[in-house]
């Protein structure tokens, strides 16, 4: 299988008369493991199902949505790789002009609240369809319970209610979507499949109750209670099922899908991908996202960093599952066979690059701790950080024929490097010597300990130590490279004084004028968004300053990057 079919002509060429599953996506169809729709589609195809894709359908016409007919088993709807409201609007609610996942780059193809829009589109033109509609992807995953929506500035019901869909698959959906396909095909009950949510008129015995949607709306403390119960039931080993009342019905959330093994992850990423845009969409224009993902390789899933503004722990999980070294090497060898391959691998990593093959053995056996985090406020002694396997992997990759450069573009936790007394220095020397080009990107996010604490990140001391080591190693290697710092303005608890202090620290200690600064965006299902909505610190219950005026948010950013500098760039 090369590309999955997008037209009936392609379906016929495969010798098929119908499709079992039709995937709808807010992104164009890039046949890559970095495209969740393509990944799920290829996984279902690998297990014997006939699958097609409709990317970015026109919601004002039946032309696209009817192109493949009606699926035999189910429709699968995803807003794309990014929540559609994040993709369409800036942190100050201005419409984005560009979209890297749309041919031609113009932001005209992805509707607001795409999961709802696409579900409505299906229901409008397939009124008598017996095939259920299944929501998936990150938009569905992070909006699966009552959640704060920044763009409407209120609490919204679980997405499945507003979309009027039948089923929602949350988290990394390969297992749940495959089990669902088999259950529907075999006419078996799917309601106990892990990783699925659905609407019921009755509660499910043994599941934990969340405060109702109505109570969350009435009382912010009830919403905090609901979120914390939800957050602590995302681990595949320890979590229980949940239910939440909405009106006279209930959201039922089954426990998360079981963790993948390394071999299972190898099987997923070893599938054949064209690493290109499907010809049907390619003729519509260039897709900028392809530049990065065409030669990028995923080494692992999950992140135990648990930054409060990040939703990876909710979507991918707090447990890092790594692919085997041989599987990654084999994938890079396949990339070198591509036409016009120039010798560079754009990225080798995951949510955090240097978490590859670093995980707590206790967590892998018994589940994530409920009463503490792995890296905050200090690293847990049970987590043994050792970068030796990452060093070995990078050395093997460098030795592959036709490889000129292996880049690490994914985030790197510099506090983990400093903690690794045995191999941390070697890892730094390895990446500085061979895996960055001119600059290394790190994400301290802020420098003031008060704000960093609210972000769930350690204080500024590790940043200063890392910066000194970085330049020492560059000097030792005869390199003239520098650090680029990603920073956040207007995070809950951050005021203008904090930004002025950040600027002074950056100038005096880091010797830089920051260039990579973004205004905090309250995205669904993060602790920082919880703080933004409730104006409370959920860990202490104390009142919290939160900047909600968009002009003043911009002013915080302007303290670091004056607007005239922005215009010049």
């Amino acid at each position: 299988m090369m590309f999955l079919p997008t037209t009936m002509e392609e379906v016929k060429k495969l010798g098929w008369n119908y499709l079992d599953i039709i995937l709808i996506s807010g992104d164009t169809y890039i046949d890559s493991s970095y495209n969740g729709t393509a990944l799920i589609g290829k996984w279902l195809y690998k297990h014997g199902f006939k699958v097609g894709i409709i990317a970015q359908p026109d919601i004002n016409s039946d032309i696209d949505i009817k192109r493949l007919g009606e699926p035999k088993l189910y429709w699968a709807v995803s807003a794309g790789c990014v929540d559609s409201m994040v993709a369409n609007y800036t942190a100050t609610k201005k419409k984005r002009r560009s979209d890297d996942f749309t041919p031609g780059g113009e932001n005209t193809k992805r509707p607001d609240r795409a999961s709802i829009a696409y579900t409505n589109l299906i229901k409008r033109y397939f009124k008598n369809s017996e095939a259920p509609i299944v929501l998936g992807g990150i938009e569905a995953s992070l909006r699966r319970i009552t959640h704060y929506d920044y763009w409407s500035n209120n609490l919204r019901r679980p997405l499945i209610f507003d979309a009027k869909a039948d089923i929602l698959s949350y988290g990394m959906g390969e297992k749940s979507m495959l089990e669902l396909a088999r259950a529907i095909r075999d006419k078996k009950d799917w309601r106990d499949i892990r990783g699925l949510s659905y609407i019921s008129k009755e509660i499910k015995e043994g599941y934990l109750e969340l405060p109702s949607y109505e109570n969350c709306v009435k009382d912010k403390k009830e919403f905090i209670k609901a979120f914390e119960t939800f957050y602590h039931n995302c681990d595949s080993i320890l979590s229980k099922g949940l239910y939440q009342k909405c009106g006279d019905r209930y959201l039922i959330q089954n426990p998360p899908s079981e963790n993948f093994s390394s071999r299972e992850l190898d099987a997923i990423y070893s599938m054949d991908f064209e690493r290109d845009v499907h010809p049907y969409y390619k003729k519509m224009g260039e897709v900028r996202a392809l530049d990065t993902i065409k030669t990028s390789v995923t080494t692992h899933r999950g992140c135990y960093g648990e930054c409060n503004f990040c939703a990876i722990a909710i979507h991918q999980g707090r447990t890092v599952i790594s692919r085997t070294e041989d599987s990654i090497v084999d994938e890079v060898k396949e990339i070198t066979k591509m036409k016009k391959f120039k010798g560079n691998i754009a990225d080798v990593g995951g949510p955090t690059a240097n978490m590859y093959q670093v995980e707590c053995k206790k967590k892998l056996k018994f589940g994530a701790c409920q009463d503490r985090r792995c890296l905050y406020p200090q690293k847990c002694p049970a987590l043994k950080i050792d970068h030796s396997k990452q060093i070995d992997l990078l050395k093997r990759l460098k030795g592959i024929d036709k490889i000129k450069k292996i880049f690490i573009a994914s985030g790197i936790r510099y506090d983990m490097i400093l903690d690794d007394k045995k191999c941390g220095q070697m890892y730094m020397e390895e990446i500085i010597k061979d895996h960055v080009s001119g600059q290394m990107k790190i994400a301290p996010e802020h420098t003031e300990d008060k704000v960093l604490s609210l972000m769930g990140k350690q204080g500024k001391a590790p940043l200063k130590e890392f910066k000194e080591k970085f330049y020492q190693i560059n000097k030792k290697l005869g390199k003239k490279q520098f650090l680029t710092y990603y920073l956040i303005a207007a995070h809950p608890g951050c005021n203008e004084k904090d930004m002025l202090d950040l600027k002074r620290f950056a100038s005096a200690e880091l010797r830089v004028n920051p260039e990579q600064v973004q205004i905090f965006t309250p995205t669904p299902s993060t602790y920082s968004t919880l703080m933004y909505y409730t104006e409370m610190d959920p860990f202490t219950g104390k009142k919290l300053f939160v900047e909600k005026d968009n002009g003043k948010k911009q002013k915080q950013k302007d303290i670091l990057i004056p607007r005239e500098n922005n215009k010049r760039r």
Side-chain angles (χ1 to χ4, degrees):
M1 170 63 70
M2 297 170 63
F3 290 100
L4 293 168
T6 64
T7 67
M8 280 307 296
E9 289 76 14
E10 295 168 58
V11 172
K12 300 290 186 187
K13 284 181 180 179
L14 291 169
W16 300 347
N17 295 317
Y18 63 88
L19 291 170
D20 293 312
I21 298 152
I22 297 177
L23 302 166
I24 313 294
S25 176
D27 298 329
T28 197
Y29 175 19
I30 302 175
D31 195 58
S32 162
S33 62
Y34 281 81
N35 181 314
T37 299
L39 189 66
I40 293 292
K42 285 290 181 77
W43 186 243
L44 292 167
Y45 170 77
K46 178 183 173 76
H47 288 85
F49 293 95
K50 300 177 177 70
V51 185
I53 290 180
I54 301 173
Q56 299 184 317
D58 181 356
I59 62 170
N60 299 308
S61 161
D62 66 352
I63 293 174
D64 290 324
I65 199 63
K66 284 187 170 182
R67 198 165 68 229
L68 294 176
E70 182 181 349
K72 189 175 181 180
L73 300 180
Y74 63 76
W75 300 88
V77 170
S78 169
C81 296
V82 182
D83 183 284
S84 59
M85 299 305 287
V86 176
N88 287 348
Y89 297 93
T90 69
T92 53
K93 300 185 180 180
K94 295 177 182 177
K95 180 73 174 179
R96 296 188 194 274
R97 295 179 181 177
S98 62
D99 186 340
D100 288 353
F101 291 92
T102 294
E106 191 175 354
N107 189 16
T108 57
K109 295 289 184 70
R110 190 194 313 267
D112 291 352
R113 309 193 187 284
S115 298
I116 297 174
Y118 294 150
T119 302
N120 289 340
L121 182 65
I122 294 167
K123 286 179 175 289
R124 188 185 317 148
Y125 294 109
F126 293 89
K127 292 180 180 178
N128 299 316
S129 176
E130 295 182 2
I133 299 174
V134 185
L135 303 179
I138 196 162
E139 179 168 284
S141 191
L142 302 186
R143 294 175 179 268
R144 64 187 188 262
I145 67 161
T146 296
H147 57 280
Y148 173 67
D149 180 76
Y150 171 61
W151 295 271
S152 58
N153 192 31
N154 60 21
L155 294 188
R156 293 182 69 101
R157 299 186 301 171
L159 179 64
I160 193 170
F161 280 84
D162 286 347
K164 298 180 175 61
D166 301 289
I167 306 167
L168 185 149
S169 169
Y170 70 89
M172 308 306 281
E174 289 91 350
K175 288 189 176 184
S176 60
M177 296 292 272
L178 178 56
E179 286 186 58
L180 178 64
R182 287 170 170 166
I184 295 175
R185 179 195 63 192
D186 300 337
K187 295 181 171 52
K188 294 182 178 179
D189 190 357
W190 50 262
R191 286 174 178 81
D192 288 329
I193 294 174
R194 296 174 70 110
L196 296 184
S197 293
Y198 57 94
I199 297 172
S200 173
K201 292 182 179 179
E202 300 176 346
I203 67 171
K204 197 157 184 177
E205 293 298 328
Y207 280 27
L208 298 177
E209 181 179 10
L210 302 179
S212 69
Y213 164 73
E214 289 78 12
N215 284 345
C216 288
V217 171
K218 289 177 186 176
D219 187 343
K220 290 182 176 179
K221 289 184 179 178
E222 287 291 285
F223 181 53
I224 291 174
K225 179 181 175 183
F227 180 79
E228 292 197 316
T229 302
F230 164 71
Y231 186 89
H232 289 292
N233 280 277
C234 291
D235 178 77
S236 66
I237 296 176
L238 295 174
S239 296
K240 294 184 178 180
L242 306 173
Y243 68 89
Q244 183 176 47
K245 190 175 184 182
C246 299
D248 60 353
R249 296 181 296 169
Y250 297 90
L251 170 78
I252 305 295
Q253 177 182 294
N254 292 338
S257 295
E258 293 180 349
N259 283 334
F260 292 94
S261 68
S262 290
R263 292 297 179 185
E264 286 174 325
L265 216 54
D266 287 352
I268 290 169
Y269 286 98
S270 66
M271 294 187 296
D272 290 332
F273 293 98
E274 290 299 298
R275 297 180 178 271
D276 204 350
V277 180
H278 188 286
Y280 182 89
Y281 299 99
K282 195 170 188 177
K283 63 187 178 185
M284 299 177 186
E286 182 183 357
V287 180
R288 288 189 59 188
L290 184 63
D291 296 341
T292 303
I293 66 177
K294 193 179 185 76
T295 62
S296 292
V297 178
T298 298
T299 59
H300 60 283
R301 287 182 178 178
C303 181
Y304 44 77
E306 291 191 83
C307 298
N308 286 334
F309 50 81
C310 180
I312 291 173
I314 290 287
H315 185 58
Q316 290 198 14
R318 296 163 60 189
T319 301
V320 170
I321 306 297
S322 299
R323 294 169 61 186
T324 64
E325 189 176 297
D326 286 345
S327 172
I328 296 166
V329 169
D330 288 344
E331 183 175 354
V332 172
K333 286 180 178 178
E334 286 300 311
I335 293 174
T336 65
K337 298 175 184 177
M338 291 168 49
K339 293 178 180 178
K340 299 181 181 179
F341 177 65
K342 297 180 180 179
N344 297 327
I345 299 296
D347 185 31
V348 173
T352 302
N354 60 321
M355 286 185 184
Y356 174 70
Q357 295 287 10
V358 179
E359 186 49 284
C360 172
K361 292 181 180 179
K362 179 182 174 184
K363 189 205 296 184
L364 290 171
K365 186 174 182 180
F366 299 109
C369 296
Q370 298 293 298
D371 58 348
R372 70 168 301 154
R373 297 185 177 189
C374 295
L375 296 176
Y376 177 81
Q378 300 294 332
K379 184 190 73 67
C380 175
L383 178 65
K384 307 301 181 185
I385 297 176
D386 180 356
H387 289 81
S388 61
K389 290 184 179 179
Q390 297 171 56
I391 296 170
D392 292 342
L393 172 64
L394 291 171
K395 287 181 176 178
R396 278 191 69 184
L397 295 179
K398 286 190 299 183
I400 295 173
D401 188 38
K402 296 184 181 179
I403 290 294
K404 295 178 182 177
K405 190 88 171 179
I406 301 282
F407 291 100
I408 298 178
S410 300
I412 290 177
R413 287 288 300 228
Y414 50 84
D415 52 340
M416 289 178 61
I417 296 175
L418 296 174
D419 184 84
D420 184 358
K421 305 303 180 186
K422 181 181 178 182
C423 297
Q425 178 85 4
M426 285 189 289
Y427 179 71
M428 277 190 75
E429 290 186 5
E430 173 69 26
I431 58 178
I432 289 170
K433 177 175 174 284
D434 289 328
H435 305 289
V436 295
S437 180
Q439 59 182 331
M440 179 178 173
K441 301 170 185 176
I442 59 173
E445 314 298 1
H446 214 283
T447 61
E448 300 314 294
D449 291 353
K450 176 194 76 172
V451 180
L452 287 169
S453 177
L454 291 166
M455 291 177 167
K457 295 180 74 78
Q458 294 181 21
K460 56 193 166 194
L463 175 61
K464 291 173 65 176
E465 183 181 352
F466 182 81
K467 176 238 174 185
E468 290 169 4
K469 283 184 176 291
F470 176 84
Y471 287 108
Q472 287 172 3
I473 292 171
N474 269 276
K475 186 176 181 180
K476 172 185 171 183
L477 297 175
K479 298 266 188 179
K480 290 186 178 180
Q481 300 182 125
F482 60 93
L483 290 171
T484 298
Y485 305 89
Y486 285 95
L487 302 166
I488 294 177
H491 184 276
C494 179
N495 55 35
E496 289 181 20
K497 180 183 180 300
D498 296 317
M499 297 305 292
L500 287 166
D501 290 341
L502 191 165
K503 184 175 184 178
R504 281 190 283 267
F505 182 88
S507 177
E509 299 290 343
L510 304 180
R511 304 293 179 90
V512 296
N513 292 315
E515 295 184 353
Q516 301 289 337
V517 183
Q518 62 180 1
I519 296 171
F520 168 71
T521 302
T523 54
S525 295
T526 70
Y527 266 110
S528 295
T529 298
L530 188 67
M531 296 176 200
Y532 184 92
Y533 170 67
T534 63
E535 299 180 42
M536 285 187 275
D537 182 339
F539 305 106
T540 65
K542 292 181 180 179
K543 187 169 176 59
L544 187 66
F545 168 76
V546 178
E547 185 56 78
K548 294 192 173 181
D549 181 276
N550 283 334
K552 292 180 179 179
K553 291 179 189 178
Q554 184 65 49
K555 189 176 179 181
Q556 284 200 25
K557 180 179 178 180
D558 291 346
I559 288 171
L560 293 185
I561 307 180
R563 224 174 291 196
E564 57 269 22
N565 291 0
N566 277 322
K567 288 177 182 177
R568 254 186 239 122
R569 281 201 298 274

